[in-house]
Amino acid sequence: MPIDAVIPFRPVNPKTRLSDIMDQQEREAFARIMLGDVICALRGAGCSPCILCTTAYHHPGARTCIDEQGLNEALNDYLAGCGIGPVLIFMSDLPLATAEGIRRVTATDRDIAIVPGRGGGTNVIFIRDPSRFRVDFYGASFCDHLAIAKAADLSVDVVDSFFMSTDIDEREDLVEILLHAKGESRGFLQGIGVGLSLETGRVSVQRSPHE
Amino acid sequence: MPIDAVIPFRPVNPKTRLSDIMDQQEREAFARIMLGDVICALRGAGCSPCILCTTAYHHPGARTCIDEQGLNEALNDYLAGCGIGPVLIFMSDLPLATAEGIRRVTATDRDIAIVPGRGGGTNVIFIRDPSRFRVDFYGASFCDHLAIAKAADLSVDVVDSFFMSTDIDEREDLVEILLHAKGESRGFLQGIGVGLSLETGRVSVQRSPHE
């Protein structure tokens, strides 16, 4: 039985912190490409992906659920309505994710498994019994999720993954895609002229002015 | 037979990018505490730690080798002189490292295993046959190490670890210690009044003015 993997997704004007390097149309295309890489990795790990979206959105590799509420309300309603069996919540901006890494999450023997993002975020969370947990994203969600699990007497595994800790929000995050990603996101960046730069002694990205 | 783990270490005026939050004496103490956490994790993973230092430095959990050369020259001379058997090169500023994570590195079936840092760095590298490899740190060392391995026809494993990808250089990196570290580094920070702040909506660190 494949594990239900729900991916919140915002198709319109996403990733505004990348506005200095991509226009809105490119950011929307890039968000779709990253989502596709995430879906591919999840399917490779034996999960059944479901896109949770505020508007109708179709991807051939996943089901879609429409919910117009905010992130936490939509996810908590999803958890309340999805019946028995584990749920994996997976952010759509994790294009470095690998099937191998995802299997380390779903193979946990605990009630909850969290992959923290940098700065106290939660990038991935596995919930064995969705009736016993609710999510609280934004802010220091890693700490909040530990507290919610503790209050519900649920055991927690913290899964150590650089690739899943790397959510793509800012220009410098693109470096990691160009260095490590195996999916389509890397080719998308290269296709619009975004490449690595070593000029400053540190690795950064630059966009070719001709493309 | 424990695996030889070499830890380059600079005891004098380290971590200058933390100068806005710690004075030199505190940075030197903090670097020693982080080194101690790294040594503890390495011993927990069955490794035999050796501190590679430009000056005499003693830690009860490790041997010391003195080499006054630069990082690459000292490490490459170490590799040339250490005989047969694998070597693990491990940076001293990885206090989030766990024995479990280190075992994922040393258990590789490849010739080389690399744990990348953010931004193209190399934080940990496992070298099965030190006579066939040389290191080249600084700049985009992750890419350089892949190229050196390819030129020597050595297979490479990239080990996916957030905790070992997190080298502590800047103020914002301290957030990860306060959130995730299990060793002494966290207590050291708390002892000098460095704690988490949620004031800006993002997780950051602040230092109490009274301590």
Side-chain angles (χ1 to χ4, degrees), chain B residues 154-174:
Chain B
L154 299 172
S155 59
V156 178
D157 200 2
V158 177
V159 177
D160 176 21
S161 167
F162 172 53
F163 294 153
M164 287 185 282
S165 78
T166 305
D167 45 320
I168 305 300
D169 288 318
E170 298 180 355
R171 186 184 181 113
E172 69 179 13
D173 300 325
L174 303 180

Side-chain angles (χ1 to χ4, degrees), chain A residues 118-119 160-163 176, chain B residues 118-119 160-163 176:
Chain A
R118 277 200 308 136
D160 176 20
S161 168
F162 171 53
F163 294 152
E176 310 306 339
Chain B
R118 277 201 307 136
D160 176 21
S161 167
F162 172 53
F163 294 153
E176 309 306 338

Side-chain angles (χ1 to χ4, degrees), chain A residues 161-177:
Chain A
S161 168
F162 171 53
F163 294 152
M164 286 185 282
S165 78
T166 305
D167 43 320
I168 305 299
D169 289 318
E170 299 180 354
R171 185 184 181 113
E172 68 179 14
D173 300 326
L174 303 179
V175 168
E176 310 306 339
I177 294 181

Side-chain angles (χ1 to χ4, degrees), chain A residues 5 10 20 22 50 54-55 59 73 78 107-108 115 117 128 145 147 163 176 188 195 203 207:
Chain A
R10 175 186 170 186
D20 68 325
M22 293 182 213
C50 175
T54 51
T55 54
H59 187 287
E73 296 75 12
Y78 189 94
T108 185
V115 184
R128 191 174 305 283
H145 288 141
F163 294 152
E176 310 306 339
F188 175 85
V203 184
R207 182 163 180 177

Side-chain angles (χ1 to χ4, degrees), chain B:
Chain B
M1 181 82 179
I3 291 172
D4 191 15
V6 57
I7 313 163
F9 183 62
R10 175 185 171 186
V12 179
N13 198 21
K15 298 292 157 198
T16 52
R17 282 193 276 164
L18 292 174
S19 298
D20 69 324
I21 198 165
M22 294 183 211
D23 65 28
Q24 180 174 341
Q25 190 177 358
E26 288 167 337
R27 285 185 281 110
E28 291 179 355
F30 182 48
R32 290 194 299 271
I33 298 277
M34 291 199 291
L35 172 68
D37 284 344
V38 163
I39 288 170
C40 184
L42 285 166
R43 289 170 62 100
C47 296
S48 169
C50 175
I51 302 166
L52 183 62
C53 198
T54 51
T55 54
Y57 182 81
H58 178 69
H59 188 286
R63 296 164 286 132
T64 302
C65 289
I66 298 176
D67 191 321
E68 294 180 357
Q69 301 179 96
L71 179 65
N72 288 324
E73 296 76 13
L75 282 169
N76 285 325
D77 279 2
Y78 188 94
L79 293 176
C82 68
I84 57 169
V87 171
L88 184 69
I89 298 172
F90 209 96
M91 295 298 123
S92 67
D93 59 352
L94 306 175
L96 279 69
T98 64
E100 180 188 3
I102 295 166
R103 280 197 205 95
R104 284 200 286 129
V105 180
T106 57
T108 184
D109 58 2
R110 311 280 173 90
D111 299 317
I112 302 289
I114 300 178
V115 184
R118 277 201 307 136
T122 302
N123 285 3
V124 176
I125 184 165
F126 172 87
I127 303 162
R128 191 172 305 283
D129 179 352
S131 73
R132 296 179 65 194
F133 194 80
R134 63 184 173 79
V135 296
D136 185 3
F137 281 92
Y138 302 121
S141 66
F142 175 74
C143 303
D144 295 335
H145 288 140
L146 291 186
I148 293 165
K150 189 173 183 181
D153 201 25
L154 299 172
S155 59
V156 178
D157 200 2
V158 177
V159 177
D160 176 21
S161 167
F162 172 53
F163 294 153
M164 287 185 282
S165 78
T166 305
D167 45 320
I168 305 300
D169 288 318
E170 298 180 355
R171 186 184 181 113
E172 69 179 13
D173 300 325
L174 303 180
V175 168
E176 309 306 338
I177 294 181
L178 292 166
L179 286 171
H180 301 293
K182 308 292 184 201
E184 305 290 329
S185 301
R186 183 180 174 188
F188 174 85
L189 292 178
Q190 292 168 328
I192 63 168
V194 173
L196 293 174
S197 167
L198 296 168
E199 282 175 17
T200 59
R202 295 186 68 154
V203 184
S204 61
V205 296
Q206 63 182 7
R207 184 163 179 177
S208 158
H210 302 298
E211 292 177 83

Side-chain angles (χ1 to χ4, degrees), chain A residues 57-75:
Chain A
Y57 181 80
H58 179 68
H59 187 287
R63 294 165 287 131
T64 302
C65 288
I66 297 176
D67 191 320
E68 296 179 357
Q69 301 179 95
L71 179 65
N72 288 324
E73 296 75 12
L75 282 170

